[in-house]
Amino acid sequence: MDHVILFEGIPMSKSMRGMCKEEDYAFLGEKGKHHKETDTLGEDWKEEKMERERRRRERAQQEQERIRELEESRKEKEQQWRHHVSELASTQEQRLRDRLARIHHFRDFQRKVLVEEMSLQTDSESSQALDQLLTRI
């Protein structure tokens, strides 16, 4: 009757002891029997807790890795976009220079043709008339 000793070891007042019967605390005697089961349950609980913690850390690590990869991808795309824009700008600038050169070449050609057709001489009046005529064209 170990439970009697355990029952007597529980601190409570005399009136409380009268209301509580030893039979009510008979489960205290069974506590020793279930102690091993409780230990294994406690170990299982600890293992589950450790497993949950490990999975949580893995998820956090995977999330950090995903965020890092997204950031790298964003930076790479931004770098590609800047490179693309600079190529477009340089291409457009080169096209404008080429177009300007072609226009100057065409103007010189027009000037030469008009001088030959009009048989104008290279004095200043004829040069001004030629410039006016080219401007109108």
Side-chain angles (χ1 to χ4, degrees):
M1 298 220 111
D2 282 337
H3 69 278
V4 174
I5 296 169
L6 288 172
F7 179 72
E8 290 174 355
I10 297 173
M12 59 176 82
S13 66
K14 288 181 183 179
S15 61
M16 187 68 159
R17 209 170 275 284
M19 291 186 338
C20 298
K21 306 234 187 286
E22 289 181 27
E23 294 83 27
D24 294 342
Y25 287 90
F27 70 89
L28 293 175
E30 296 172 4
K31 182 179 177 188
K33 295 177 187 174
H34 297 302
H35 186 64
K36 290 183 181 178
E37 291 177 15
T38 307
D39 286 346
T40 58
L41 289 175
E43 288 177 16
D44 290 344
W45 180 79
K46 287 179 184 178
E47 288 175 10
E48 288 175 8
K49 184 178 179 183
M50 289 173 62
E51 181 65 22
R52 284 193 306 268
E53 182 65 25
R54 185 187 60 77
R55 286 194 308 257
R56 186 191 63 77
R57 282 194 306 265
E58 285 178 359
R59 281 193 306 270
Q61 185 178 6
Q62 288 173 350
E63 182 66 18
Q64 287 175 350
E65 181 68 22
R66 187 183 68 82
I67 289 171
R68 186 185 61 77
E69 287 174 358
L70 286 174
E71 187 67 25
E72 286 176 2
S73 173
R74 186 189 62 80
K75 286 180 181 178
E76 184 178 329
K77 286 180 182 178
E78 189 175 314
Q79 182 68 22
Q80 289 174 349
W81 176 252
R82 280 193 218 125
H83 181 69
H84 175 70
V85 167
S86 66
E87 281 182 353
L88 284 178
S90 66
T91 304
Q92 187 177 13
E93 193 174 317
Q94 185 61 38
R95 285 180 187 161
L96 287 174
R97 279 193 225 113
D98 291 346
R99 184 175 179 199
L100 181 63
R102 285 193 309 270
I103 289 173
H104 280 300
H105 181 69
F106 182 70
R107 281 294 216 201
D108 290 342
F109 173 76
Q110 279 183 327
R111 184 181 307 272
K112 188 190 294 183
V113 168
L114 285 175
V115 166
E116 287 177 4
E117 284 184 1
M118 296 175 75
S119 301
L120 294 175
Q121 298 183 3
T122 58
D123 62 3
S124 65
E125 286 182 19
S126 61
S127 177
Q128 286 178 352
L130 183 61
D131 286 340
Q132 289 175 356
L133 183 59
L134 286 174
T135 305
R136 283 190 225 147
I137 293 176

